[in-house]
Amino acid sequence: APLLESGGDSVQAGGSLRLSCMLSAYTGRRKCMAWFRQAPGKEREGVASLNTRSGSAEYADSVKGRFTISQDNAKYEVYLQMNKLKPEDSAMYYCAADWCQDDVVPMRETDFGFWGQGTQVTVSS
């Protein structure tokens, strides 16, 4: 798989998790990285996106101030630090990657052609 997520777990509300996305040498050159999530019965939604060239990041309103997307170029890894987790954060989380222009930070599914298999996050109240 071009992308491999890990770090999903079951935690209580208020807790923290850090998701990791390991990129292959091929996908690691993609300029934009993002995390999406999909809860049962709901559409997949963008959570956080990062333009690795500009360093600009965007977040869904529901996670602003709680989640942080970051990268480690040396390790070809992208992370999603999730703090103050809420039950509504429970979902399958997916890492995505693709090329993008220097001045954009995409957050739509259609902007990304490379996807991982997902890692499950469950937050209990």
Side-chain angles (χ1 to χ4, degrees), residues 91-108:
M92 185 71 78
Y93 282 71
Y94 299 90
C95 180
D98 216 322
W99 292 107
C100 63
Q101 297 179 359
D102 287 350
D103 58 348
V104 299
V105 187
M107 194 87 87
R108 300 173 303 178

Side-chain angles (χ1 to χ4, degrees), residues 50-113:
L50 175 68
N51 185 310
T52 61
R53 177 162 293 186
S54 69
S56 297
E58 292 287 342
Y59 297 90
D61 288 342
S62 59
V63 306
K64 281 181 180 177
R66 300 188 298 121
F67 290 11
T68 303
I69 186 171
S70 62
Q71 62 170 336
D72 184 332
N73 286 332
K75 295 182 179 180
Y76 281 125
E77 289 191 10
V78 174
Y79 308 103
L80 184 68
Q81 178 65 44
M82 305 187 296
N83 299 326
K84 299 179 181 179
L85 283 162
K86 304 175 181 179
E88 51 264 43
D89 293 320
S90 298
M92 185 71 78
Y93 282 71
Y94 299 90
C95 180
D98 216 322
W99 292 107
C100 63
Q101 297 179 359
D102 287 350
D103 58 348
V104 299
V105 187
M107 194 87 87
R108 300 173 303 178
E109 277 192 81
T110 53
D111 293 320
F112 296 90

